[in-house]
Amino acid sequence: ELNNALRDANEAVRLNPESAAWKNNRGECFIKRKEYDKAIEEFDALLKETPTYYFALFNRSEAYIRTKKFDLALKDIEAVLK
């Protein structure tokens, strides 16, 4: 099921490369697959394009927590709360 979700997210990004929502969904797929470093890379790239996309900040904080990078997670959470 997660493989299908990731495949679908990849296809959606291919068809609509400007969509922050689909890139965020792809990052969430990586989190669910426990591919936290890939998730962080996905959210980093998305946030370079759309720095105020709060869903990406929140989701990246989850990936940081899973990789025990608590200081970075806190920064993202604080940015969401501003």
Side-chain angles (χ1 to χ4, degrees):
E1 186 174 310
L2 289 176
N3 289 334
N4 291 339
L6 181 57
R7 184 197 67 227
D8 292 347
N10 283 331
E11 181 66 8
V13 170
R14 186 185 71 76
L15 293 172
N16 190 2
E18 302 300 318
S19 173
W22 283 115
K23 292 175 184 178
N24 185 66
N25 288 348
R26 184 165 57 186
E28 288 182 291
C29 288
F30 287 131
I31 288 175
K32 291 184 189 305
R33 292 166 53 109
K34 299 181 181 177
E35 296 179 51
Y36 304 119
D37 290 331
K38 285 185 180 180
I40 291 167
E41 289 174 16
E42 185 72 28
F43 297 127
D44 284 348
L46 170 53
L47 288 163
K48 282 182 184 173
E49 297 170 9
T50 313
T52 58
Y53 196 77
Y54 297 110
F55 291 113
L57 284 165
F58 182 79
N59 289 326
R60 185 174 66 179
S61 74
E62 180 181 351
Y64 281 146
I65 289 167
R66 303 284 182 159
T67 57
K68 301 192 183 328
K69 297 175 182 170
F70 302 116
D71 55 330
L72 295 173
L74 181 60
K75 286 181 184 178
D76 279 355
I77 293 169
E78 288 173 340
V80 169
L81 295 175
K82 284 185 180 178

